[in-house]
Amino acid sequence: MNIRKHSSNTVKSASPPAENYRDELRRTISPFQSFAVAFGFVSIATGIFTTYGAVLNSSGPMGIWTWPIVVLGQLMVALLFGSLSARIPVTGYVYQWMSRLTNPVLGWMMGWLSFTFLIIVTAAVDYTIASTILPVTFGYVATLNNTWGITAVVMVLQAIMIACSTSFTQRFNGIAVTIQLVGMLSLVVLLFGAGYAHNLLDFSRLFDTGSIARTDYFSLGTLTHAGPFVLGTLLGAFTIVGFESAANLAEETHEPERVVPKAMWQAVLSLGIIGFLFLVAVTALAKDPTELARSGTPVADVIYRVLGPVTGNALLVLVIISIFSCGLVIMLSSTRLVWAMSRDARFPGHQILHKVDPTHFTPRNATVFSMLITQVVLAAFSQDQSALFTLFGAATLLPAMIYAATVIMYIAKRKQLPESRGFKLGIWETPVICLAVIWLAFELLLFRDEQFRGAWSYIALMCAIGGTYLAYLLLTRGRQGLTMPDMISIDSVLDNDARSVLNNDVRSMTDN
């Protein structure tokens, strides 16, 4: 399984040499930490706390039944991503796969689109802490300015952690994921227990449409509007994304061909089950769904009312840690993508951004750059009353586009993929592909709704910026100048003896 045969010919001098594909980052990520990366990025706490109110307003309580549909669809996508990551376990994931299996121009486009997604979703996740949880936890009124300020500080703290130590970041995320698992399961048990004890559970609310009319509730909608039930898929579509972040740390993971695919599908499945139980509990305890829909912090309100201020606040602190960790993992993934594209001289400022700090073995410059760009995006939305919806709308649309393009590429190139030692779909490949295609086509149709105009505007602007830089690359280097550099044989990386050497003998990075 030599990936070299899938690479293009020798690059021009504008591109980095093949030696740059030797391991420059420490292989320190364990199987649990890889799972924690995928689990932490998805973060049901983040997704549900962010979008539950929007779903109550668009679909009513019954909108939660779209959750199992989304989980099944995204699980199929995760399995296909696992199949790719087992064959090309390289930092840069979609950018690398598309560049090497189709052509580097399409690969660059996917890389830029992925960067656009990671930037906006970092802002959306961190904004959630300041806008939907901290006001209830600490009893203050959230304003546009204090929400902006708190979110900006959170981003700086995350960037400092990532730049200083990957191992510390991974340990923190592992602890946070454990907290999230314990915290969410505890929330589910306590909500059901307290609801039963005080006769607060009303499961008929699970089939209530709230203020949404039942007429045409299940319709697909019109040319510019999605139907009420269809809009409910936003809840899961925003939440169950980012599982592929485990693949973006492949070069820092022990046995990535085996570990990364498992981390992705296990994260989707486990989060899907826990998340649905939590949604059922919160919805069954919603005293008045129509009134709750008017709140800016509906989930926190239910927890606070049912469990009381002491227990409620304690559990909300655990949720804050979980969401902080989610933003941390997303920023970590963003820095690795920027670094990977810069290593190939494909990213603006690559001369600086490709460097690895010789002391901490982290892409410090790429980390600072990602944080600063995220701050710019946050500032652009900071004075918008509907900022959170616009942010999560764009953060839902972009991965759907990325997943669809990657699945299409997989279908076209699957017969040409090298063999995998770690993960195979076997006879299940065809049904998995069919279900993934049906789900992604359905999801993309959702974004014809005019309320996503702001999300489309953000994507159009970022694509225009990226397109300008791509044109510059093509004009100055030509298409041949974007040819991907050869990598060392994946066989040797997967070989036990070679891996032992790589783990114990980290090469120093030259400033090139």
Side-chain angles (χ1 to χ4, degrees):
M1 186 184 66
N2 193 323
I3 196 63
R4 188 183 297 275
K5 68 182 180 180
H6 293 281
S7 303
S8 302
N9 297 325
T10 306
V11 297
K12 292 185 177 181
S13 58
S15 296
E19 297 86 63
N20 277 12
Y21 272 80
R22 293 173 180 168
D23 278 21
E24 297 160 0
L25 304 171
R26 290 184 183 271
R27 286 190 182 272
T28 58
I29 298 177
S30 66
F32 175 74
Q33 288 173 331
S34 182
F35 168 78
V37 167
F39 192 100
F41 194 126
V42 175
S43 182
I44 50 175
T46 306
I48 293 175
F49 274 78
T50 303
T51 58
Y52 186 73
V55 170
L56 287 180
N57 282 294
S58 66
S59 313
M62 196 156 64
I64 69 168
W65 290 103
T66 59
W67 182 272
I69 298 172
V70 177
V71 171
L72 176 63
Q74 296 295 64
L75 181 60
M76 299 301 104
V77 175
L79 290 172
L80 295 179
F81 270 62
S83 185
L84 282 167
S85 64
R87 290 162 168 81
I88 310 179
V90 186
T91 296
Y93 68 120
V94 175
Y95 155 70
Q96 292 280 7
W97 302 337
M98 188 72 75
S99 294
R100 297 177 185 283
L101 295 176
T102 56
N103 67 71
V105 174
L106 284 177
W108 190 94
M109 292 177 181
M110 289 303 297
W112 183 260
L113 203 61
S114 298
F115 170 72
T116 300
F117 160 59
L118 292 169
I119 290 299
I120 195 74
V121 76
T122 302
V125 166
D126 289 340
Y127 197 88
T128 300
I129 295 177
S131 63
T132 67
I133 303 177
L134 289 182
V136 173
T137 306
F138 296 103
Y140 70 90
V141 177
T143 66
L144 292 176
N145 287 330
N146 64 33
T147 300
W148 177 15
I150 292 170
T151 305
V153 171
V154 168
M155 290 177 181
V156 172
L157 292 175
Q158 291 166 340
I160 291 173
M161 291 176 63
I162 293 168
C164 289
S165 174
T166 298
S167 60
F168 174 77
T169 300
Q170 292 297 341
R171 285 197 299 271
F172 177 88
N173 183 56
I175 293 171
V177 164
T178 302
I179 289 173
Q180 183 174 178
L181 275 168
V182 174
M184 294 304 293
L185 287 172
S186 298
L187 263 175
V188 170
V189 172
L190 288 173
L191 287 173
F192 277 122
Y196 177 79
H198 296 93
N199 198 29
L200 298 174
L201 290 167
D202 183 355
F203 292 104
S204 68
R205 294 194 184 101
L206 303 179
F207 305 95
D208 186 1
T209 60
S211 60
I212 310 301
R214 288 187 175 271
T215 306
D216 297 326
Y217 181 79
F218 293 102
S219 71
L220 294 178
T222 63
L223 187 63
T224 57
H225 290 86
F229 185 74
V230 173
L231 282 172
T233 56
L234 280 173
L235 179 63
F238 173 72
T239 305
I240 312 294
V241 295
F243 45 81
E244 71 279 7
S245 58
N248 204 20
L249 278 76
E251 292 179 45
E252 298 166 76
T253 304
H254 294 295
E255 300 184 273
E257 73 288 353
R258 179 184 63 84
V259 169
V260 170
K262 183 183 291 185
M264 290 194 283
W265 73 258
Q266 286 182 342
V268 172
L269 187 60
S270 58
L271 285 161
I273 294 171
I274 297 171
F276 189 64
L277 290 174
F278 181 60
L279 284 170
V280 169
V282 170
T283 304
L285 290 166
K287 189 174 183 180
D288 182 350
T290 303
E291 181 64 28
L292 189 64
R294 300 191 185 99
S295 171
T297 56
V299 178
D301 290 349
V302 171
I303 294 172
Y304 199 84
R305 175 175 58 83
V306 174
L307 300 180
V310 176
T311 304
N313 282 340
L315 289 169
L316 287 176
V317 169
L318 299 183
V319 171
I320 291 170
I321 294 172
S322 299
I323 297 177
F324 178 88
S325 174
C326 176
L328 182 71
V329 169
I330 297 170
M331 189 178 289
L332 177 68
S333 187
S334 174
T335 64
R336 293 323 190 252
L337 178 61
V338 170
W339 175 79
M341 294 183 71
S342 297
R343 175 174 59 176
D344 296 336
R346 303 289 192 272
F347 204 83
H350 60 84
Q351 298 88 342
I352 297 174
L353 299 178
H354 82 280
K355 296 181 180 180
V356 174
D357 184 277
T359 303
H360 300 103
F361 296 96
T362 61
R364 182 181 56 191
N365 294 343
T367 302
V368 174
F369 174 83
S370 295
M371 186 270 293
L372 291 176
I373 296 300
T374 308
Q375 294 280 13
V376 171
V377 171
L378 172 66
F381 288 102
S382 63
Q383 299 305 308
D384 182 2
Q385 291 287 350
S386 59
L388 187 59
F389 182 84
T390 304
L391 287 169
F392 94 72
T396 309
L397 171 56
L398 279 163
M401 296 168 64
I402 294 167
Y403 294 164
T406 306
V407 168
I408 291 171
M409 177 199 68
Y410 184 93
I411 294 170
K413 299 293 183 177
R414 62 186 172 131
K415 300 299 183 183
Q416 302 171 32
L417 290 172
E419 287 297 318
S420 170
R421 296 181 185 178
F423 180 81
K424 294 180 181 180
L425 290 174
I427 62 173
W428 296 102
E429 184 179 55
T430 298
V432 166
I433 288 174
C434 292
L435 288 173
V437 169
I438 292 170
W439 156 243
L440 290 170
F442 174 81
E443 182 184 16
L444 286 171
L445 284 174
L446 168 67
F447 294 98
R448 73 187 186 278
D449 196 289
E450 64 178 12
Q451 65 182 313
F452 298 107
R453 192 176 304 164
W456 281 109
S457 298
Y458 165 75
I459 294 171
L461 175 61
M462 292 297 290
C463 286
I465 295 172
T468 301
Y469 185 73
L470 177 60
Y472 163 77
L473 290 178
L474 292 172
L475 287 173
T476 55
R477 301 182 191 176
R479 185 184 179 89
Q480 186 63 23
L482 289 180
T483 301
M484 295 294 288
D486 283 344
M487 296 184 294
I488 57 175
S489 169
I490 294 299
D491 283 335
S492 65
V493 175
L494 301 183
D495 181 82
N496 288 332
D497 293 335
R499 184 182 297 114
S500 177
V501 173
L502 288 171
N503 287 341
N504 295 297
D505 181 25
V506 180
R507 298 173 177 87
S508 349
M509 171 87 175
T510 63
D511 286 342
N512 220 6

